[in-house]
Amino acid sequence: MQVAITGAGPAGCWAAIQLANRGHSVTLIDALAPWEKPCGGGVTTKALDRFGIFTTNLPRVDIQEVTVFFGDREHVSLTPQTPLAVVSRQELGKHLLDQAIQAGVQLIKDRVTGIRQEGSRWRLTGRQSETVGDFLVGADGATSMVRRILGTPLTAEELCVTMGYFIPGTFPAQMKIFFVPALEGYIWSFPRPTHLSYGLITRSEPAWNTRAKSLLSNFIEADLGTLVMDQAEFYSAPVPCLSPKSWKRNTISGDRWALIGDAAGLVDPITGEGIYFAFRSAQILAETIEQPGAYSKAISSDVGKELALAARMYRRFYRGHFLGGDFRKRTVQLARRSRTIRQILGNLIGGNQPYTGLKKKLFLSIPSVGWDLLSARK
């Protein structure tokens, strides 16, 4: 089968590699790859364990400590049982693209400007090229052209915005996550091999971008000093952040076409993490591409239920209250006093504790948490 993939990011490249290894003829179309994506670059232990690309010599920083803050006073430090990692998305993209080419994938450096169906085939028109294929894969991000033409485009309400700075230098292998009372989202500080990614994610709202940028700058200057901003490089980009209603109408495939990764909306709305879902959706597509209708069903049962549940939990996490206070603040306070809560929180951040089993896990942990709190008072 001839497969045309728009977008040569992690999802597109991984799909191309898997499909080529299964004997398909694959063409990747992307004008810029490999590029540096404006994100933290955090890779969960779940992704590290599952996908072979992370066992290569890909430059990365292994994270030995994660500190979660609420406001400027409450914080708790977590030590992951298995370290997380932070990578440059440009370096990750380069490694994946090299592997794709080695697998026999054709790369066309062009921007797709038109997509049309001709009988049982697809024709993709670029500024300088034309490509035909039996199957079309949209791996072209949150503002996917394939999605806009063949599916339902994501609305402004279904997107979060990320903004931040790349700060040159070497920094301790410590990941920082800051929750702020007035912010529906969080601020992050992730050390990469050659720089620090210091950014913010929040739902996009009118007139909020200017205030968010000011808030982020104040955090950076308070943490690292004012001089670092002289060399900092600013970035911003949209990220899918689907609501419960959005998940019910999220169409990700049709007759000889499919969406993967961000283009399919496969991002955790609470954390903004999408690397695992990009790789996993690409893998599922390769396994089901010759079975009409199987891809959407497999995505729904494998990762869709988890992400839909995260969407339902989103408002409670960012706006909910627990024990008379902000839910996030109480979580940090309890984690400081309870080793059990710290372990659960660490597993959540690492991707090893699914949302689908979280309620049961917390219920079964009540005796242990009670003992932790009693011991902390002695």
Side-chain angles (χ1 to χ4, degrees), residues 242 247 268-270 305-315 355:
L242 273 60
W247 278 109
D268 184 329
I270 295 176
K305 291 180 181 178
E306 178 77 358
L307 292 175
L309 178 57
R312 294 197 297 272
M313 295 171 60
Y314 178 92
R315 295 294 179 185
Y355 295 118

Side-chain angles (χ1 to χ4, degrees), residues 247-326:
W247 278 109
K248 293 180 180 179
R249 61 180 183 85
N250 187 33
T251 302
I252 62 171
S253 67
D255 183 21
R256 297 185 303 283
W257 67 270
L259 304 172
I260 57 178
D262 282 16
L266 302 179
V267 173
D268 184 329
I270 295 176
T271 66
E273 196 277 318
I275 284 288
Y276 175 83
F277 305 106
F279 277 86
R280 184 62 183 136
S281 60
Q283 201 169 54
I284 291 173
L285 176 66
E287 295 167 354
T288 61
I289 194 168
E290 295 177 332
Q291 307 165 43
Y295 172 68
S296 290
K297 292 179 182 178
I299 287 292
S300 178
S301 62
D302 190 285
V303 299
K305 291 180 181 178
E306 178 77 358
L307 292 175
L309 178 57
R312 294 197 297 272
M313 295 171 60
Y314 178 92
R315 295 294 179 185
R316 178 173 179 81
F317 183 84
Y318 283 110
R319 296 185 179 183
H321 286 76
F322 178 61
L323 298 176
D326 186 291

Side-chain angles (χ1 to χ4, degrees), residues 193-272:
T194 61
H195 60 272
L196 184 70
S197 173
Y198 216 124
L200 174 152
I201 182 169
T202 187
R203 283 196 176 271
S204 180
E205 296 181 4
W208 170 245
N209 285 2
T210 301
R211 288 182 292 151
K213 189 174 182 179
S214 177
L215 173 66
L216 178 60
S217 298
N218 291 339
F219 258 81
I220 295 174
E221 292 178 0
D223 192 12
L224 303 175
T226 57
L227 296 180
V228 300
M229 300 302 292
D230 295 337
Q231 295 180 304
E233 177 186 356
F234 181 74
Y235 60 81
S236 180
V239 175
C241 190
L242 273 60
S243 68
K245 289 184 179 179
S246 302
W247 278 109
K248 293 180 180 179
R249 61 180 183 85
N250 187 33
T251 302
I252 62 171
S253 67
D255 183 21
R256 297 185 303 283
W257 67 270
L259 304 172
I260 57 178
D262 282 16
L266 302 179
V267 173
D268 184 329
I270 295 176
T271 66

Side-chain angles (χ1 to χ4, degrees), residues 128-165:
Q128 301 173 341
S129 65
E130 281 200 342
T131 305
V132 294
D134 304 307
F135 197 98
L136 173 62
V137 179
D140 44 349
T143 57
S144 168
M145 180 180 186
V146 178
R147 182 173 188 130
R148 293 199 308 271
I149 294 174
L150 301 176
T152 304
L154 297 177
T155 65
E157 292 74 24
E158 295 170 319
L159 294 171
C160 283
V161 61
T162 60
M163 63 176 63
Y165 295 87

